[in-house]
Amino acid sequence: MSKDVSAKVNAFMDKVIEKNPGEDEFHQAVREVAESLMPFLEENPKYQEAKILERIAEPERVLMFRVPWMDDKGEIQINRGYRIEMNSAIGPYKGGLRFHPTVNLGILKFLAFEQVFKNALTTLPMGGGKGGADFDPKGKSDNEVMRFCQSFMAELQRHIGPDTDVPAGDIGVGGREIGFLFGQYRRLRNEFTGVLTGKGLTWGGSLIRTEATGYGCVYFVEEMLNSKGDSIKGKICTVSGSGNVAQYTVEKVNQLGGKCVTLSDSSGYIYDPAGIDAEKLAFVMELKNVRRGRIEEYADKYGVKYVNGKCPWEIKCDVAFPSATQNEISEEDAKTLVKNGCKAVGEGANMPTTFEGTQVFLNSKILFGPGKAANAGGVATSGLEMCQNSMRMSWTREEVDAKLHGIIKAIHSQCMQYGREGNWVNYVKGANIAGFIKVADAMLDQGLV
Ligand code: NDP
Ligand code: 2IT
């Protein structure tokens, strides 16, 4: 980047930081996009004159609210709920809800900002939003989770709707939570609509939505590898996390003939050099989705290594699938992965690589699929769920999977179109520019909004 362009990024970021103090993850996400976009904006002054980037970095609306609920002991608990309605230029706000004790305004703003670009890439008409609460579902009974969800929705319901804002799951919000949230919305509003996605199959959910983020991420990596005449088949893969995204990443890698050798949770990781096959994956699903236990149990059950307090990036692999949380791959981790011969990274999680780690991947010119492209299969299938709800129809598993696969291919092509640099593709730049153009053009068309 020229000195002049770099000075423009810094000047823009100084203002963002001044206006949003202490929101480190938000600054990080905006900086990555600004760095990709600035040279493009220099060549396309219409976007600069209309201050589109400055407008996109400012949420349309931020909601923060009290969530009081009563625990099983009869004690009153108070959490903080949020919904960031970031951008609705191309469709209703759309994005997940995260329930995790680390949730704060800056984290949700980074996630909502990423979501705007990601949703634009899906080719579907969805704006960007994100929400959640600093509630920790770990160790809570089903009844406590239900009472929390009901209180959360008692406030959120007045701000959302099938044509306004359509939340879904994210960390700590899966099928159980979406059920409690939907039940409360339906009761308070006396309407049965597609106001949430990730619903159960008997009450408006879509086939493949549960699998979609993991499947989509593997499809995206397969596209990147195919573009180099290679494929997942025979590849050793490291996966972090052991929740929704990680589980279905392992399932799809297995189907395509690769081998996943790690999984993790916030306590540590397991290393199974023989590979996490279908039977072991079924154990993980029962452990994590039903018993809600720790991944360490896998090591006990299958007699493999468990490493406490670390992420799996020291394990040699061909492909890495970070699928737990933000900033889980440091600069050092990225260097280790590249040194050990890692050829491709598919970001199942949102912004799992630090800013410095991303530079390592880009400089080494490996195939690096950033979250807003690689994990867009989840929200894309949410878009397909909305579509089925509007039609009051449902598609078969094969139909939804084929549409998901087509969308991932389209995202990959958009990244190639805008990210090609010689015979290498900078997918970060490609995803940022392609996502930006769609939203920016809609904003230009719609006047000063
Ligand atoms: P889940 O809650 O199902 O699983 C999260 C996993 O990540 C768990 O294994 C959890 O471990 C681990 N984890 C969470 N927070 C931390 C942390 N602070 N440090 C270390 N490990 C952590 O969530 P998902 O699988 O749905 O989400 C994973 C990632 O994928 C997130 O970044 C999310 O934003 C992203 N994503 C999710 C989509 C979806 O459709 N669900 C779509 C696109 C992206 P533990 O059990 O110990 O907390
Ligand atoms: O980060 C994400 O894209 C999600 N958590 C899924 C959002 C959605 O609306 O399905």
Side-chain angles (χ1 to χ4, degrees):
M1 200 187 308
S2 75
K3 267 201 170 142
D4 189 33
V5 174
S6 167
K8 285 201 167 145
V9 172
N10 287 337
F12 168 73
M13 284 312 302
D14 285 348
K15 283 193 194 143
V16 170
I17 293 166
E18 196 188 338
K19 258 192 146 179
N20 304 278
E23 298 177 359
D24 295 348
E25 292 85 359
F26 181 58
H27 306 161
Q28 182 185 339
V30 176
R31 179 181 291 278
E32 184 212 275
V33 168
E35 291 213 343
S36 293
L37 278 177
M38 206 54 86
F40 171 81
L41 295 179
E42 291 288 291
E43 288 162 21
N44 295 275
K46 65 177 177 180
Y47 299 122
Q48 277 189 322
E49 281 154 21
K51 297 209 175 167
I52 299 289
L53 183 59
E54 288 82 347
R55 277 197 261 164
I56 282 185
E58 189 68 31
E60 287 179 12
R61 192 176 298 109
V62 173
L63 307 156
M64 282 173 68
F65 50 93
R66 177 170 69 206
V67 188
W69 58 282
M70 197 170 280
D71 69 19
D72 286 346
K73 294 196 261 359
E75 197 181 318
I76 291 168
Q77 303 286 342
I78 298 112
N79 285 101
R80 184 173 292 172
Y82 304 82
R83 186 73 182 164
I84 318 296
E85 297 185 332
M86 200 74 189
N87 195 300
S88 60
I90 64 167
Y93 308 106
K94 179 83 197 87
L97 297 171
R98 177 175 292 190
F99 291 170
H100 196 272
T102 57
V103 160
N104 60 38
L105 185 59
I107 288 180
L108 293 180
K109 277 170 68 180
F110 117 64
L111 289 162
F113 181 79
E114 291 283 291
Q115 201 81 44
V116 172
F117 296 82
K118 186 195 305 190
N119 293 5
L121 288 170
T122 65
T123 70
L124 302 173
M126 298 182 290
K130 200 86 188 189
D134 60 353
F135 170 76
D136 188 358
K138 267 200 210 91
K140 303 288 190 300
S141 69
D142 286 351
N143 278 328
E144 288 176 321
V145 171
M146 179 177 75
R147 286 196 294 273
F148 174 80
C149 287
Q150 290 179 337
S151 180
F152 182 84
M153 186 53 89
E155 173 59 30
L156 187 67
Q157 58 89 19
R158 74 188 80 248
H159 308 290
I160 62 176
D163 296 315
T164 309
D165 184 353
V166 183
D170 193 78
I171 292 175
V173 178
R176 173 182 63 170
E177 291 74 20
I178 294 293
F180 295 148
L181 292 164
F182 184 77
Q184 181 73 343
Y185 181 90
R186 191 170 58 70
R187 186 175 190 208
L188 294 172
R189 299 284 289 258
N190 193 28
E191 58 183 43
F192 193 110
T193 59
V195 68
L196 292 160
T197 58
K199 299 187 290 300
L201 295 175
T202 55
W203 40 278
S206 172
L207 287 158
I208 303 282
R209 175 60 189 91
T210 310
E211 296 88 333
T213 311
Y215 278 19
C217 191
V218 179
Y219 290 150
F220 192 85
V221 168
E222 181 77 344
E223 285 299 309
M224 293 199 297
L225 288 166
N226 285 172
S227 74
K228 295 276 171 201
D230 203 349
S231 74
I232 291 273
K233 197 169 163 51
K235 297 285 181 295
I236 304 293
C237 305
T238 48
V239 181
S240 67
S242 48
N244 173 266
V245 179
Q247 291 168 15
Y248 291 97
T249 294
V250 173
E251 184 163 288
K252 187 51 77 178
V253 166
N254 286 344
Q255 286 171 11
L256 297 185
K259 183 157 87 174
C260 294
V261 295
T262 67
L263 281 172
S264 71
D265 59 22
S266 52
S267 310
Y269 76 87
I270 58 103
Y271 174 44
D272 184 351
I276 302 160
D277 61 18
E279 186 224 304
K280 293 170 180 171
L281 181 61
F283 170 79
V284 171
M285 289 184 175
E286 206 263 337
L287 170 69
K288 284 290 171 184
N289 309 346
V290 183
R291 287 193 287 126
R292 300 179 193 274
R294 309 307 298 159
I295 200 66
E296 187 174 2
E297 270 192 51
Y298 181 106
D300 300 337
K301 172 142 176 101
Y302 294 108
V304 302
K305 189 162 114 176
Y306 170 72
V307 182
N308 199 40
K310 285 182 94 173
C311 296
W313 314 126
E314 60 198 1
I315 301 296
K316 187 173 160 52
C317 67
D318 301 309
V319 183
F321 287 101
S323 312
T325 193
Q326 65 275 359
N327 291 330
E328 52 169 320
I329 298 185
S330 66
E331 182 176 12
E332 272 319 297
D333 295 330
K335 284 182 182 159
T336 304
L337 281 161
V338 172
K339 181 167 63 73
N340 284 342
C342 177
K343 294 180 183 62
V345 176
E347 289 193 331
N350 285 304
M351 204 168 75
T353 313
T354 59
F355 188 82
E356 296 74 22
T358 301
Q359 303 314 310
V360 171
F361 290 141
L362 295 179
N363 291 336
S364 68
K365 297 207 179 327
I366 64 165
L367 298 168
F368 176 63
K372 57 174 81 74
N375 71 40
V379 74
T381 309
S382 280
L384 300 175
E385 182 172 330
M386 289 166 72
C387 187
Q388 293 167 81
N389 291 162
S390 300
M391 295 190 299
R392 299 186 195 280
M393 272 179 59
S394 42
W395 292 318
T396 63
R397 208 181 150 80
E398 290 69 30
E399 280 173 297
V400 180
D401 196 31
K403 285 184 169 51
L404 165 63
H405 210 152
I407 288 170
I408 296 292
K409 283 176 191 254
I411 295 172
H412 184 263
S413 312
Q414 294 175 72
C415 291
M416 298 263 268
Q417 185 184 345
Y418 292 102
R420 193 176 279 290
E421 293 178 355
N423 58 7
W424 174 66
V425 177
N426 180 338
Y427 288 89
V428 174
K429 176 174 138 191
N432 287 336
I433 296 180
F436 176 82
I437 290 174
K438 184 166 176 189
V439 178
D441 286 347
M443 289 173 73
L444 285 180
D445 289 346
Q446 293 173 27
L448 191 50
V449 286

